[in-house]
Amino acid sequence: MTTDTLQEAAPPVSKFSVRTVLHNAGIGLALLALILFFSVFTEHFLTPNNITNILTQITINLILAVGMTFVILIGGIDLSVGSVMAFAAVVAGKAITLPGFGPAEAIALAIVAATLTGVLCGFLNGAISAYWALPSFIITLGMLNIARGAALQVSEAQTIYSFPFAFEEFGSAMIYGVPVVFLVALVLVFIAWFVLNFTVFGRLIYGIGNNEEAVRLAGHSVSRYKIAAFTICGLTAGIAAIVYMARLNISSPIAGIGFELNAIAAVIIGGTSLSGGRGSVIGTLLGAFIIGVLANGLILIGLSDFMRQMITGVVIIVAVILDYYRAKYAST
Amino acid sequence: MKLFKIAAAAATGLALLGGTALADDKPVVGLIMKSLANEFFQNMMVGAEAHQEKRGDYELKAVGMQNETDFESQINAVENFITQGVDAIVVAPADSRAMVRPLKKAMEAGIVVVNFDVSLDEDAKKQQGVELAFVGPDNRGGAKLAGDALGKKLGEGGKVVIIEGNPGADNATQRRLGFEDSVAEYKLNLLDSRTAHWETEEANQVFATMLTAHPDIQGVMAANDSMAIGVVKALESAGRTDIEVVGFDNIPAVGPMIEDGRMLATVDQFGTDMAANAIDLALEVVSSGEQLEGWVKTPIELVTAN
C-alpha cells in the first residue's frame, strides 16, 4: 500500500534496484557470451595486452556515455557530445600551449578550460530546451554544429600539438596493467551510480523520465533538473576531451565525429530506455564494454571493416528489441 | 535618425565604389575548395588568398564546403559562378563523377575550367564529351614514395599493415594502391589493411588491435599523417620502438616525430601552393587561350630525417 502511493511521486528504490539487477544480469550474460566467443575463436583476445587495449579503447566512449545516461534517463538526447568534446579539446589545447606557463600550471589550465567549455555547452543545451520546452534532439543538433564550427574556428582547422610531457605520461600510465584513464572513467561510473540511486537528485532524474507532471506537481522545479542533466553531460564531454588529449597528445578539431552515436548506443544497449525513466549507469558500463569488445574482437577475427560496421549495427537493433520485451515484461 | 540616413547613404556609395572596382578588367577566378574543416584544404585556401594578394592582377572568389561529401554545395557554387560570369573556375571536386556535368555547363558558357587536387573520372568525362586537363599531385606515386622508403628499410618479406583513408574517397583509393605497389615491388608481406577514416583516435584504436593480432608487424603505412600520429601513440603505449611508420601530407604535428625517428617518412604534396599553382595555370589559359592538356603533375617530395 505505502509503496504504491510513494510510486506516484517518485519511483521506489527497492523495486527498481531488483529490476535493474535483473536487466544488468542479462546484459552481463551477453557480454560474457561475446568474450567467450572471441576467446575461443581468436588467439590473442584474452591476453593481458589486449585487455589493456580494450580498457583504453572504451574509456572515452564510457565517459561520454555516463553523461548521456543522465540525459536519456530524463527522456532527452544529446547529439552534441562528440563536437563538444572536440571544442573542449581545442580550447584546452590552446590553453596548454600558451607560452609562459610551467607544465603543472599549463595542465591545470587545460583541465579547467576543457571542463568549463563542456559545462557551458551542456548548460546551454539544457537551459534552451528546458526554457522553451523544445525537443533536445533539435537543440543539441544545433549545438553539434555550433561546437564543431567553434572548434574549427578556434583552431583555424589545425591540429594542436606538443603538450607537456607529464600530460602525456598521465595518458599512458598504468596501474597493474589497468590504464589510469580507464580508472578515471570507472570513478565517474561509481559517482553517477551513487548519485542516481542514493540521492534525491538522482531519484528525481528517474522521476522526470517516468512522469514529469508528477514531479512538477510534487513541487519540484523540473527545468532545474533537466538543465542539471545536460550540464553533467557537457561536463563528461569536457572530461573526455582531457582524456583524448592526454592519450594522443594532440587536439584535433575533427575529433569525435560520430562519438555521440556510440555513446547513445552504449546507453541503449545497456538497457536504458530511450523514452526515459528506466535504466542504470551500470548497464551503460556493460554497454560500453559490449561495443568495445565487439570492435576489438571483430578486428582480431579478421573481419572486413564493412562487415564490422554491419554487425555493430545489428547488435544495436537487437539490443533495442530486447529492451522492448523487457519493458513489456516489466509492465505486466 | 538623420545620422543613420547619412551613414546608409555613405554605405551605399562605398558599395557602388566597390562595384566599379569589380567591374574593371581584372579577370575573376572562382575557386571551389573541399572541406575547410580539413587542415590540408584550410592551408590551401590561405595559400590561395596570399597568392591573390601577391599577384594582385585578378579577383578571387573562394567557396568551401561543410564536409568532405557535401558535393551539392560545390554544384551550387559552379552554377553561381556561371551566373556571375567569372573568367575561370578552379575546382577541387568533392565527387569525381557528380561534378562533370555542372563543369561542362561552365565550359559551354565560355569559362576556363581547371580541375585540381582530385581528377575527374575519365569515363564520366568521356560520357559527357568533356575534355579537361587535370592539375594535381600523383597520390598513388606519392604513397609509393613513402611505401618504398619503408620497403627499403625493411627489405624483402617485411611484415606491414596499411591504415586506409575513407573508403570510396578517390585519394584514399590512390594512396592505398600506391602502398600496394610498394608491397609488390619490395615483396613485402601485407598482413592487414583497414580504414581509420583519416582520424587519429580511430587509427590509434584500430592499429592497437591490429598489433595484438599481429605482434610481428614491422612497418605501418598510414594514408595520412593524422592517422600516423594515432599509430605512433599506440606504439608508444605498447612500448614498441622496433616498428617503422610512414605517413602522408607532412602536417606540422609530425615534424618532431620524423626528427626523433618515431616516424620514418611522410610525403609533402605542397598543399599550400596547390590552389595557387592551379590559379596561375587558369590565368595563363585566360590570357593566352591555349588549353591545358592531359595531367599537369604538381610536385611531391618524400620527407625524412636527414
Side-chain angles (χ1 to χ4, degrees), chain A residues 158-159 168 247 303 305, chain B residues 39 43 194-195 204 212 233:
Chain A
Q158 308 290 312
T159 304
E168 193 177 349
R247 269 193 51 212
L303 217 60
D305 291 325
Chain B
E39 199 163 343
N43 291 340
R194 287 185 181 278
T195 179
N204 181 270
T212 306
K233 299 312 291 183

Side-chain angles (χ1 to χ4, degrees), chain A residues 137-208:
Chain A
F137 181 90
I138 203 73
I139 301 303
T140 58
L141 183 62
M143 182 57 80
L144 178 154
N145 285 302
I146 294 170
R148 180 67 61 191
L152 289 162
Q153 185 69 40
V154 169
S155 66
E156 294 165 327
Q158 308 290 312
T159 304
I160 303 168
Y161 63 104
S162 92
F163 300 159
F165 185 64
F167 197 46
E168 193 177 349
E169 280 210 309
F170 158 71
S172 47
M174 306 271 180
I175 297 175
Y176 297 112
V178 180
V180 170
V181 288
F182 177 74
L183 293 176
V184 170
L186 266 193
V187 168
L188 289 178
V189 170
F190 176 77
I191 294 172
W193 173 78
F194 183 83
V195 167
L196 284 173
N197 287 289
F198 301 105
T199 66
V200 175
F201 172 79
R203 298 324 296 173
L204 283 171
I205 292 281
Y206 279 102
I208 289 170

Side-chain angles (χ1 to χ4, degrees), chain B:
Chain B
M1 203 50 201
K2 219 173 213 172
L3 243 173
F4 175 75
K5 266 185 188 162
I6 294 167
T12 325
L14 278 175
L16 283 174
L17 276 176
T20 47
L22 271 179
D24 73 15
D25 31 341
K26 276 185 190 173
V28 180
V29 176
L31 174 64
I32 302 176
M33 304 283 294
K34 289 214 269 190
S35 170
L36 299 179
N38 184 327
E39 199 163 343
F40 181 72
F41 291 107
Q42 178 67 29
N43 291 340
M44 200 186 281
M45 178 86 147
V46 171
E49 278 162 357
H51 176 262
Q52 192 272 335
E53 235 158 76
K54 210 173 117 198
R55 266 189 72 142
D57 61 347
Y58 70 99
E59 292 287 335
L60 181 66
K61 292 186 176 182
V63 181
M65 346 167 11
Q66 292 281 322
N67 61 56
E68 296 275 351
T69 50
D70 172 26
F71 56 82
E72 211 168 300
S73 64
Q74 282 204 331
I75 296 178
N76 293 341
V78 174
E79 276 160 4
N80 290 341
F81 282 145
I82 296 176
T83 318
Q84 292 169 29
V86 299
D87 297 282
I89 292 177
V90 176
V91 55
D95 187 294
S96 54
R97 293 197 178 89
M99 292 306 291
V100 175
R101 188 188 280 271
L103 289 174
K104 185 187 178 192
K105 250 204 263 175
M107 290 164 79
E108 284 166 357
I111 297 170
V112 172
V113 174
V114 171
N115 163 212
F116 77 107
D117 181 54
V118 169
S119 172
L120 291 170
D121 187 73
E122 286 302 326
D123 291 338
K125 276 198 274 188
K126 240 176 247 164
Q127 223 173 24
Q128 301 274 338
V130 176
E131 263 189 51
L132 190 58
F134 170 58
V135 180
D138 180 359
N139 270 294
R140 185 170 181 166
K144 187 166 180 300
L145 279 181
D148 285 355
L150 188 67
K152 261 175 227 157
K153 180 92 180 176
L154 299 181
E156 198 170 304
K159 292 172 179 157
V160 297
V161 293
I162 296 175
I163 310 287
E164 303 168 29
N166 274 3
D170 191 57
N171 52 349
T173 309
Q174 292 301 319
R175 289 178 194 183
R176 179 174 53 77
L177 291 174
F179 288 146
E180 286 172 4
D181 291 344
S182 301
V183 166
E185 188 172 326
Y186 285 85
K187 299 194 173 63
L188 301 172
N189 182 0
L190 182 61
L191 298 174
D192 204 354
S193 182
R194 287 185 181 278
T195 179
H197 301 99
W198 302 125
E199 212 274 317
T200 309
E201 149 82 3
E202 193 176 341
N204 181 270
Q205 299 205 5
V206 166
F207 177 73
T209 309
M210 282 164 117
L211 187 60
T212 306
H214 311 282
D216 49 348
I217 292 175
Q218 294 171 288
V220 187
M221 305 176 184
N224 77 352
D225 283 344
S226 297
M227 296 192 294
I229 292 173
V231 170
V232 167
K233 299 312 291 183
L235 289 174
E236 281 174 13
S237 12
R240 297 285 296 264
T241 52
D242 56 328
I243 297 178
E244 304 288 349
V245 183
V246 296
F248 201 115
D249 285 344
N250 195 23
I251 65 172
V254 300
M257 297 184 173
I258 297 219
E259 211 124 289
D260 64 19
R262 281 177 291 167
M263 270 178 73
L264 178 66
T266 184
V267 176
D268 200 335
Q269 48 178 341
F270 304 99
T272 319
D273 306 331
M274 202 186 285
N277 290 339
I279 290 171
D280 277 339
L281 288 168
L283 290 171
E284 230 175 273
V285 177
V286 169
S287 64
S288 72
E290 261 175 65
Q291 296 297 320
L292 300 169
E293 267 173 31
W295 184 353
V296 184
K297 285 191 186 176
T298 52
I300 38 175
E301 195 177 276
L302 187 71
V303 179
T304 53
N306 296 313

